[in-house]
Amino acid sequence: MFNQTVTLQPLADISAYTEGFEIVSAQIGSDGCMYVLLINQIPVQKRGRSESKDLKKTFTYKVLYFDDQDIEEVVIADQHFKYHYVQPLHRHLLLVGARCSYYGDGEYELNAKVCDYKGNTIREFLLGDGIQSVQVTEQGTIWTSYFDEGVFGNNGWGEPIGAPGLVAWDENGNKRYEDQVSNIADCYALNVVKEEEVWFYYYTDFLLGCVSGGLEQPKVTFMNPEISGSSGFCTDGYHFLFDGGYGKSGDFILKKNEKPERLSTGHKIHFLNEKGEPLAPLTQDFRENRVLFSEGHCLYLVAIEDLL
């Protein structure tokens, strides 16, 4: 396996918007735009033990969104809930918190908030605890994947919403699909390419699954990428770029689908920033054939075609 080194140039410098704020996540939307969620104060959290709300504090969030034009900003103030993801949802924004609690007797927290572009809340609904990833299609289908606590239950959830490991919802939070064929204990990675093509990668089998055919007639197929513990991947349908997996921070592997349901051994790729230093991203988001990195105050975007 040979190594390839790729130097990336910043797609955007968002330092003008980050004073007093920190990046929570940076994601690619179905519209091809970049969406960055920032918070004015990062709560101290440990995965699996963090509180979803702080009734004694309020947080101010910013959402930055842009393509190759000027950066636009939405401020969402006076929030008690802790949000982790942002996606476009038709003409609105969807904010989702990874954690939410069940209190018993049908009482629970709503961890999805739909806002307009002035920061006003339109509606809220439940997407379940232990959310690993959120991606929304152009038609407004919300796909959520869940890590182990969302699958097996925590925070009061004896019958967790995320038990299937992979669920699709409509824009109002009504369930439209749930995985019933995979043995998902922890859905490590999700890539919603389009309405009829949704990829996922999961533990315990470390298989790469694809939901095709749309939600009316879904068909799930699998292949073994021969990678353990990858946290994300993107694909153009033939090539697959994977995070390197367990113990291989900073490594990426580019594979080809040379045979049906089988990927090539591939080769390693190392990304450098514009200073020639190894890229050490705070966040990374894989969507369709691209991956978006945030490092410091800069965002970097690379497509599979840039690596061929």
Side-chain angles (χ1 to χ4, degrees):
M1 183 181 295
F2 71 91
N3 293 340
Q4 179 183 0
T5 300
V6 177
T7 300
L8 303 179
Q9 298 298 321
L11 171 70
D13 183 336
I14 61 172
S15 56
Y17 301 88
T18 58
E19 184 176 357
F21 286 78
E22 294 188 39
I23 295 175
V24 179
S25 60
Q27 296 182 257
I28 304 171
S30 61
D31 54 3
C33 292
M34 312 302 139
Y35 291 81
V36 184
L37 180 64
L38 303 104
I39 190 172
N40 67 328
Q41 180 182 354
I42 295 294
V44 177
Q45 295 183 353
K46 293 183 179 180
R47 180 170 167 175
R49 300 179 183 176
S50 61
E51 297 293 331
S52 51
K53 271 186 177 180
D54 191 333
L55 297 177
K56 297 180 181 179
K57 297 180 182 179
T58 59
F59 306 107
T60 298
Y61 291 90
K62 281 186 185 181
V63 176
L64 309 180
Y65 63 97
F66 64 96
D67 46 17
D68 55 354
Q69 304 298 321
D70 294 337
I71 297 175
E72 302 291 339
E73 177 183 80
V74 178
V75 176
I76 305 169
D78 299 324
Q79 301 297 310
H80 291 282
F81 208 86
K82 298 170 184 175
Y83 296 103
H84 303 89
Y85 311 104
V86 60
Q87 285 278 274
L89 180 62
H90 294 316
R91 297 179 300 278
H92 297 130
L93 294 170
L94 172 69
L95 273 63
V96 177
R99 310 311 305 258
C100 64
S101 297
Y102 182 82
Y103 299 117
D105 298 325
E107 294 188 9
Y108 46 80
E109 296 174 325
L110 305 178
N111 60 327
K113 177 190 289 287
V114 178
C115 297
D116 63 21
Y117 279 79
K118 294 182 180 179
N120 301 311
T121 299
I122 304 298
R123 59 185 178 274
E124 295 179 301
F125 47 85
L126 173 69
L127 291 180
D129 184 48
I131 294 178
Q132 178 73 30
S133 302
V134 179
Q135 295 187 2
V136 179
T137 70
E138 188 175 4
Q139 290 90 336
T141 302
I142 303 165
W143 285 86
T144 49
S145 63
Y146 300 81
F147 55 83
D148 51 0
E149 293 184 24
V151 172
F152 298 108
N154 199 350
N155 289 337
W157 292 95
E159 298 180 5
I161 303 295
L166 180 68
V167 181
W169 315 80
D170 69 14
E171 61 188 88
N172 295 304
N174 300 303
K175 186 182 292 185
R176 296 196 60 201
Y177 171 87
E178 63 180 29
D179 180 86
Q180 295 179 339
V181 297
S182 312
N183 181 28
I184 301 176
D186 193 324
C187 194
Y188 278 30
L190 173 69
N191 188 337
V192 178
V193 174
K194 55 186 177 182
E195 199 77 28
E196 302 82 16
E197 184 182 350
V198 176
W199 294 87
F200 60 101
Y201 168 86
Y202 64 95
Y203 178 82
T204 58
D205 297 325
F206 291 131
L207 292 180
L208 187 63
C210 182
V211 184
S212 59
L215 298 182
E216 301 304 321
Q217 294 182 316
K219 178 184 177 181
V220 184
T221 55
F222 300 93
M223 68 174 75
N224 189 346
E226 303 291 343
I227 295 178
S228 297
S230 177
S231 63
F233 65 92
C234 56
T235 181
D236 62 5
Y238 178 66
H239 302 89
F240 288 78
L241 177 67
F242 289 89
D243 169 89
Y246 291 145
K248 298 179 180 178
S249 176
D251 286 355
F252 293 82
I253 301 175
L254 184 63
K255 292 174 173 273
K256 300 177 184 178
N257 190 9
E258 295 177 330
K259 298 181 180 180
E261 300 181 3
R262 185 175 179 181
L263 299 181
S264 65
T265 301
H267 68 272
K268 290 183 180 180
I269 295 178
H270 299 280
F271 292 112
L272 306 179
N273 61 24
E274 73 279 12
K275 300 176 183 177
E277 302 166 341
L279 193 70
L282 171 67
T283 69
Q284 56 189 34
D285 182 61
F286 296 81
R287 187 72 185 266
E288 300 178 13
N289 66 329
R290 301 183 293 173
V291 55
L292 176 67
F293 299 107
S294 70
E295 181 189 59
H297 300 296
C298 290
L299 302 179
Y300 302 82
L301 184 68
V302 61
I304 285 180
E305 63 189 37
D306 301 328
L307 308 174
L308 304 179

